[in-house]
Amino acid sequence: MGKIVIVFIAFSMGAFILTDLLQSNSVLLGGASTEIGEMASSEVSYEEFQAEVERLSYNYLIQFGTNPNAQAIDQIRQQAWQELIIKKVFGPQFDQLGIEVTDDEMIEMVQGKNIHPDVQRNFSDPQTGLFNKEQLMTFLQQISSAPVENQRPWKNFEASLRPSRELTKYENLLAKTTYANKYESKGNYVTNNSTASIDFLYVPFFSVADSSVDVTESELQDYLDSHADEYQSEESKNIDYIVFEVKPSAEDSAVVRQEVNDLREELLTSENDSLFASINSEGFAPYNTYNAGTLPPEMQGAEVGDVTEPIVSGNTYTIYKLSDKVAGDEEFVKVSHILFKWTDESDEAKAEARRQGNQILRDIKNGTNFEEMARVHGTDGTRTRGGDLGWFGENSSFVQEFKDACFNFRGTGLLPSLVETSFGFHIIKVTEPKTNESFKVAKIERELFVSDETQNSIYRNADQFALESKNLDDFVTNATDKGYEIQKATKIGQNDQRLGSINEARNVIFWLYNKADDGDVSEVFETDDKYIIAIATSTQEKGTANLDDVRNEITKKVRDQKKANQLIAKLASLSGSSLEELQEQYGDDARVNSADINLSSTSIANVGYAPNAVGLAFALESGEQTAPFKVDNGVMIVSLSDKNMAADLDNYDAYQLSVLNNRRSFKRREAPVIDQNIYDVAIDFADIVDERYKFF
């Protein structure tokens, strides 16, 4: 019934939105521009964007019963931006197409027979997931009599249902207009059913050493300039940074260790171990009952009253005390085994598995090491650990024949004969006798912590480094002198949240885009239990990529083209006419092969990706041969042996359906769900400007 506590919800949302507002860029309070972006020549104001965030946050609140955390807020902001795109970019299309949602439809979506899925989600039983209409109607009655200011979040939520339904209608309209004409259908049929057999000579680029082909800086730049459309990039920035880990010092660890040692002394004489552990432990399950199979390794062989020495694991000190041993309801036993599987269900195969098992069993009885035999002859996952199956109980999932053999055996040792189950024949060794003992164990855990003194010391080191580093040279020199590792992050986007392996680094990226120029050294940032000092190193403006950012890729392309020119010239100079003659004259680096292809192929066996070679092959007549030409990974000469173009059909309906299904399956995989081609074209024409990074 939390959904009908209107005043509480309104107060929570108001506090949440106010907090978010105050944490955003102070330009709002300073009277500067509040424009957060632009879509289709329409300004997006901060207030408009924040209203969307507020609405989605309210939706989150009534769905999950709690305000969104930082990670959820990031997702909500992204969703709010996407929904503004729908409103401003696609909204005018809705109007032109006559798509509308009537008031009657709105009532139907909120409280009628076809309630909108978002409404259903918000009023579903969290235990069963079933929609509770009675709860919805109670809420609507309560909200209608609430103060106007408390109705606003719900009214905003209701209003969001209209564009959502408009989008659904738009998508349905597009689905109905998807069409494939007879020429497309025939093309689909021809490309998938036309085949050819080819012979080819192939010389791979790697046969020419990279060191033998010089690539100049001007050639790289010329290539980039002439292929600028292929190397367009959004604005991004690069930084170097140093991480100062905020972790416990040796003194901090000593303090916790002393506390744990003191607790150990008290636990030794404690009369109520459960209460003592519950009061003093910082971990989960301070007092628990274990069986022989689940008893912590540190407690194996312990007697009642024994307390372990402090055990360090990660950032935690732990001590255990065995408080009591009692009889449990289930017996457990610890065994090892060697499994001999039969190769099939025939009597002969089973007899052979039995023979092998009996032979190894005799060897073990005569003194051969069981564990070594398990490693050599075992056929299941236990072979790597000498056949050890560990502890298991009478109620475990092991097959009954195996459990009966183990639990009917007294004491420890090797079972005298093989045991047959549905898995095969087993040699079994009981390594710990069956027992129904249960163990009551107290566990006290204490987390290592960073003291104020340690944290202040780490901060001072970081702050001193920032003060002493005025430029990149200082940054590198000081880091080298002090032994600090410099890390790099490249292509950082305006709205990114992560920095390498650091998850919550938005404060660093906010500084990078709103305050820093190339060469600036940052203040000390705190994030993810770390202090960070960063320096802005370079900026990639929106447009053609910087050569350094694409140097490796372009170097390969230019070098490959030079190699292709060399190879083509060499092949063209040879006097041979057949592929075999050309191969013999060229040398071992040339390869002659055959392949069967169809018109839809994009690759050729032993060559790789080569769609242009497929196209050239189908342009030939039988017996014709191409001149040398370049493909992605080398140079080819293709000779057509045979070609079978698909015969005309009277009807291409089946191929028309294939084209349609392919188009209908090509959807965006994120909200909003709109045909990818239409979405991309609309976004391209909308000239979207995203300046959220200035505010968050």
Side-chain angles (χ1 to χ4, degrees), residues 385-400:
R385 52 181 187 272
D388 183 21
L389 279 168
W391 290 89
F392 64 91
E394 293 174 295
N395 299 324
S396 68
S397 59
F398 284 26
V399 292
Q400 196 60 46

Side-chain angles (χ1 to χ4, degrees), residues 330-335 391-396 398 400-410 415 430 433-435:
E330 182 180 6
E331 287 196 324
F332 289 80
V333 66
K334 186 179 183 183
V335 304
W391 290 89
F392 64 91
E394 293 174 295
N395 299 324
S396 68
F398 284 26
Q400 196 60 46
E401 300 92 335
F402 191 90
K403 290 194 293 185
D404 288 344
C406 295
F407 284 100
N408 288 334
F409 187 78
R410 293 181 178 274
L415 269 65
V430 177
K434 61 185 178 184
T435 176

Side-chain angles (χ1 to χ4, degrees), residues 308-598:
T308 66
E309 294 295 328
I311 302 158
V312 184
S313 178
N315 285 328
T316 305
Y317 275 96
T318 305
I319 52 174
Y320 295 95
K321 178 180 181 180
L322 182 57
S323 298
D324 199 5
K325 295 181 180 180
V326 297
D329 297 329
E330 182 180 6
E331 287 196 324
F332 289 80
V333 66
K334 186 179 183 183
V335 304
S336 296
H337 83 139
I338 306 173
L339 174 62
F340 298 86
K341 297 178 181 179
W342 42 75
T343 55
D344 56 54
E345 294 297 324
S346 66
D347 292 340
E348 293 79 5
K350 291 185 177 181
E352 176 60 20
R354 184 190 297 272
R355 185 195 67 76
Q356 292 178 2
N358 278 322
Q359 177 61 53
I360 301 303
L361 180 60
R362 285 193 294 271
D363 291 344
I364 295 171
K365 288 180 178 179
N366 290 328
T368 302
N369 182 270
F370 180 97
E371 287 73 20
E372 185 60 31
M373 289 296 96
R375 293 187 184 95
V376 173
H377 299 286
T379 57
D380 68 350
T382 65
R383 65 182 299 176
T384 58
R385 52 181 187 272
D388 183 21
L389 279 168
W391 290 89
F392 64 91
E394 293 174 295
N395 299 324
S396 68
S397 59
F398 284 26
V399 292
Q400 196 60 46
E401 300 92 335
F402 191 90
K403 290 194 293 185
D404 288 344
C406 295
F407 284 100
N408 288 334
F409 187 78
R410 293 181 178 274
T412 61
L414 192 68
L415 269 65
S417 58
L418 298 178
V419 174
E420 181 179 355
T421 71
S422 57
F423 293 98
F425 293 101
H426 305 257
I427 298 175
I428 299 175
K429 178 183 178 182
V430 177
T431 55
E432 293 288 347
K434 61 185 178 184
T435 176
N436 67 344
E437 265 191 333
S438 289
F439 307 87
K440 295 186 178 297
V441 177
K443 178 175 68 172
I444 295 178
E445 294 176 292
R446 282 296 177 95
E447 295 286 336
L448 290 174
F449 66 92
V450 180
S451 66
D452 290 343
E453 292 80 2
T454 298
Q455 186 154 355
N456 290 338
S457 175
I458 296 170
Y459 179 86
R460 283 194 299 272
N461 290 337
D463 190 44
Q464 185 65 30
F465 180 88
L467 290 172
E468 294 173 352
S469 302
K470 303 300 183 184
N471 51 51
L472 183 58
D473 288 341
D474 290 347
F475 193 91
V476 173
T477 300
N478 292 336
T480 302
D481 291 345
K482 297 179 183 298
Y484 297 151
E485 178 188 0
I486 297 177
Q487 301 184 49
K488 297 181 180 295
T490 59
K491 297 184 178 180
I492 303 169
Q494 296 172 340
N495 296 310
D496 286 354
Q497 303 290 329
R498 293 172 56 90
L499 192 65
S501 61
I502 303 172
N503 293 321
E504 299 296 334
R506 184 60 205 166
N507 52 353
V508 182
I509 298 167
F510 185 90
W511 164 82
L512 184 62
Y513 271 95
N514 291 284
K515 299 179 180 180
D517 293 321
D518 290 349
D520 286 353
V521 178
S522 75
E523 61 194 45
V524 180
F525 292 110
E526 182 177 2
T527 181
D528 279 3
D529 297 326
K530 301 172 179 65
Y531 292 125
I532 298 173
I533 304 295
I535 182 170
T537 55
S538 62
T539 298
Q540 164 67 64
E541 301 292 347
K542 183 175 182 178
T544 305
N546 294 329
L547 178 57
D548 285 341
D549 290 339
V550 293
R551 179 178 297 276
N552 291 339
E553 180 182 348
I554 289 181
T555 299
K556 183 180 185 309
K557 288 182 180 294
V558 173
R559 182 183 289 123
D560 283 352
Q561 185 59 59
K562 285 191 160 187
K563 289 182 179 181
N565 294 340
Q566 291 180 16
L567 297 176
I568 290 172
K570 183 175 180 179
L571 287 168
S573 69
L574 302 177
S575 59
S577 57
S578 71
L579 297 180
E580 289 74 14
E581 289 172 342
L582 292 169
Q583 178 192 30
E584 184 177 354
Q585 293 177 29
Y586 187 94
D588 293 339
D589 289 331
R591 311 167 183 178
V592 173
N593 281 293
S594 300
D596 293 324
I597 58 176
N598 63 32

Side-chain angles (χ1 to χ4, degrees), residues 15-200:
F16 164 71
I17 297 299
L18 179 61
T19 300
D20 190 63
L21 177 65
L22 292 175
Q23 289 177 342
S24 300
N25 196 308
S26 60
V27 296
L28 292 176
L29 302 178
S33 171
T34 63
E35 183 176 329
I36 201 168
E38 188 175 307
M39 300 175 181
S41 302
S42 175
E43 176 187 314
V44 181
S45 69
Y46 177 90
E47 292 80 6
E48 181 180 16
F49 176 74
Q50 198 64 17
E52 287 292 313
V53 172
E54 178 182 348
R55 177 183 62 78
L56 293 172
S57 300
Y58 173 78
N59 191 8
Y60 184 100
L61 174 65
I62 61 175
Q63 182 175 350
F64 297 105
T66 182
N67 286 329
N69 58 22
Q71 184 177 2
I73 280 293
D74 291 336
Q75 295 171 349
I76 286 171
R77 286 178 180 147
Q78 185 60 28
Q79 185 180 351
W81 188 254
Q82 289 292 334
E83 296 202 6
L84 283 171
I85 288 176
I86 294 299
K87 176 181 176 181
K88 292 182 176 291
V89 177
F90 290 92
Q93 294 184 45
F94 298 163
D95 295 338
Q96 292 174 17
L97 293 168
I99 295 175
E100 65 174 341
V101 178
T102 66
D103 291 341
D104 288 342
E105 284 182 272
M106 288 296 296
I107 295 172
E108 185 72 11
M109 283 192 289
V110 174
Q111 53 185 290
K113 294 181 179 179
N114 298 300
I115 293 177
H116 193 280
D118 285 349
V119 178
Q120 292 190 32
R121 268 194 299 273
N122 290 328
F123 292 90
S124 295
D125 187 318
Q127 302 299 322
T128 65
L130 298 177
F131 171 56
N132 188 333
K133 189 170 184 178
E134 182 179 345
Q135 188 182 41
L136 168 63
M137 299 310 295
T138 301
F139 174 80
L140 292 174
Q141 291 172 6
Q142 294 283 339
I143 198 74
S144 63
S145 59
V148 174
E149 62 272 15
N150 292 339
Q151 295 183 30
R152 183 169 61 89
W154 175 255
K155 294 298 183 184
N156 287 341
F157 169 71
E158 277 188 321
S160 73
L161 301 180
R162 191 182 297 272
S164 173
R165 179 57 59 89
E166 288 174 339
L167 178 59
T168 300
K169 291 186 175 186
Y170 180 72
E171 292 166 352
N172 291 338
L173 178 62
L174 292 178
K176 295 297 183 183
T177 59
T178 304
Y179 181 74
N181 63 39
K182 64 180 181 181
Y183 300 105
E184 294 173 300
S185 306
K186 181 178 180 179
N188 179 264
Y189 160 72
V190 171
T191 56
N192 283 284
N193 292 279
S194 296
T195 61
S197 296
I198 62 172
D199 298 317
F200 61 89

